[in-house]
Amino acid sequence: MADAIDDELDLGSVVPPQRRTSKLGIVGAGAVGSTMAYAALMRGAARTVALLDVNKQKVEAEVLDLSHGIQFMSMAEVVGSDDVSVLADCDIVVFTAGAKQRPGQSRLDLAEATIALVRNVLPGIVEVAPNATYVMVTNPVDVVTYAALQISGLPPQQLFGSGTVLDSSRLRYLIARHTGVAVQNVHAYVAGEHGDSELPLWSSASIGSVPLLEWDGIGENGPLTREVRDAMAREVVESAYRIIEGKGATNYAIALAGSRIIEAVLKDEKRILPVSSLLTDYLGISDVCLSVPTIVGARGVAERLAVPMSSDELTGLRRSAEAVRSVARRFGF
């Protein structure tokens, strides 16, 4: 009787459906790429992390080192190669490869070498992972993101840059340190270029529910005067140069910022992040990639939020747009 039931149901031939798991691709196994892989694995952001680098020995060594620690992380698989096929069918690809920024060198000085690399590598990646969301991290990220859109032909919502997510984190840290409150209770964005012309959006910033410009201070921690705010803005811009001068590269904070973007996409969080994307009539600004508070989810970038800005902030944002646009024109974009 049991045999008849088994025959009727043909249980032996039932094949369980294959579950689709998330796959993160990282282009470049240098300081930023390998640290971003580590951060993503520690946060359990993706089931598979795939590294692509022209240096086969280096990428294989990074894969081996990361794989040896899987026991202490969320379950995942790490793969890597110098062959672009390793990124096939990725859900998200983070592009970290590029010319290394030297001490004293601006991000915009890096543009020529990095754009040449993107032109050489990106089309092949898009061919094997046409449905992935692409996040450009390589500096100068705004110009590189604009160039990558032209080179790849991908729609603007599918490819964007990490922008000022890290800069905004630096600003929030400085505000928290000055005021003596937890950084998680500080809400402030840096907008514009990820670079020298970026600007904090003080008008829309808050600490808890208190507008930042109305913050009177607590105990020995005084208010955020104009002088204090200006000093913070300078430190946000200059901190990357100090880190590069001291250790050769920034990698930990940008890797954590990148992993936050990765999770927003893979988990469809619809999180508001100041990423760099192609603007079309954003407060009168068009045809340039700049960072503004943006909803990020499974389809990449969605709506950009028209946050309140003072006349000085709007002027600064337009000045930043022109700075990025002029560099893009220099390289034929």
Side-chain angles (χ1 to χ4, degrees):
M1 183 66 176
D3 290 342
I5 293 174
D6 285 347
D7 288 341
E8 184 177 343
L9 296 178
D10 194 15
L11 296 179
S13 64
V14 173
V15 178
Q18 293 295 312
R19 294 187 63 189
R20 180 75 171 91
T21 58
S22 55
K23 183 176 181 181
L24 160 66
I26 298 175
V27 183
V32 175
S34 58
T35 310
M36 194 167 296
Y38 175 78
L41 287 164
M42 287 296 291
R43 293 177 65 92
R47 183 62 176 77
T48 301
V49 175
L51 286 165
L52 173 69
D53 196 283
V54 67
N55 187 333
K56 184 177 182 180
Q57 185 177 10
K58 173 73 160 63
V59 72
E60 288 179 349
E62 293 289 0
V63 167
L64 198 59
D65 197 8
L66 289 165
S67 298
H68 289 167
I70 290 296
Q71 174 188 345
F72 311 109
M73 309 175 187
S74 297
M75 189 58 201
E77 178 186 15
V78 188
V79 295
S81 176
D82 60 346
D83 190 313
V84 71
S85 63
V86 76
L87 301 183
D89 300 322
C90 276
D91 297 288
I92 183 169
V93 173
V94 181
F95 201 106
T96 72
K100 187 175 182 180
Q101 189 172 1
R102 298 187 299 273
Q105 186 180 34
S106 76
R107 295 181 179 98
L108 293 181
D109 291 336
L110 300 173
E112 186 171 12
T114 301
I115 289 172
L117 176 64
V118 171
R119 193 186 300 276
N120 184 53
V121 175
L122 185 57
I125 300 173
V126 173
E127 189 174 334
V128 300
N131 299 317
T133 297
Y134 287 80
V135 183
M136 310 303 291
V137 176
T138 307
N139 281 318
V141 68
D142 306 291
V143 175
V144 170
T145 300
Y146 188 86
L149 282 168
Q150 310 302 313
I151 292 166
S152 68
L154 291 170
Q157 71 269 18
Q158 192 177 346
L159 186 150
F160 60 96
S162 55
T164 56
V165 174
L166 174 55
D167 310 76
S168 298
S169 177
R170 287 170 174 155
L171 179 64
R172 294 180 186 195
Y173 162 75
L174 294 172
I175 295 170
R177 188 177 66 178
H178 178 85
T179 58
V181 303
V183 69
Q184 291 84 355
N185 294 124
V186 175
H187 303 281
Y189 294 106
V190 172
E193 173 203 356
H194 172 56
D196 297 343
S197 68
E198 66 187 24
L199 64 149
L201 300 180
W202 300 116
S203 315
S204 59
S206 65
I207 302 169
S209 59
V210 180
L212 183 142
L213 296 178
E214 297 176 16
W215 181 263
D216 293 327
I218 296 177
E220 297 178 357
N221 301 308
L224 289 150
T225 63
R226 178 65 178 266
E227 291 74 20
V228 170
R229 299 198 306 272
D230 287 347
M232 286 181 178
R234 286 194 301 274
E235 186 166 350
V236 169
V237 171
E238 295 169 2
S239 59
Y241 299 130
R242 288 169 47 203
I243 294 168
I244 290 166
E245 186 175 357
K247 57 176 273 191
T250 61
N251 59 308
Y252 295 121
I254 183 57
L256 289 167
S259 67
R260 203 67 205 83
I261 298 170
I262 290 164
E263 290 175 33
V265 172
L266 292 181
K267 298 178 182 179
D268 194 23
E269 291 181 337
K270 296 179 176 60
R271 185 171 291 269
I272 298 172
L273 297 168
V275 295
S276 180
S277 64
L278 184 65
L279 300 185
T280 302
D281 195 23
Y282 179 86
L283 301 178
I285 300 171
S286 297
D287 195 34
V288 65
C289 289
L290 278 188
S291 291
V292 297
T294 303
I295 298 174
V296 179
R299 296 187 177 183
V301 295
E303 288 79 10
R304 288 80 170 169
L305 304 186
V307 296
M309 294 188 197
S310 67
S311 58
D312 287 344
E313 289 169 351
L314 184 54
T315 298
L317 188 65
R318 288 172 175 163
R319 188 181 300 122
S320 188
E322 188 51 42
V324 173
R325 196 182 286 116
S326 65
V327 175
R329 287 197 204 103
R330 197 187 310 166
F331 296 102
F333 294 100

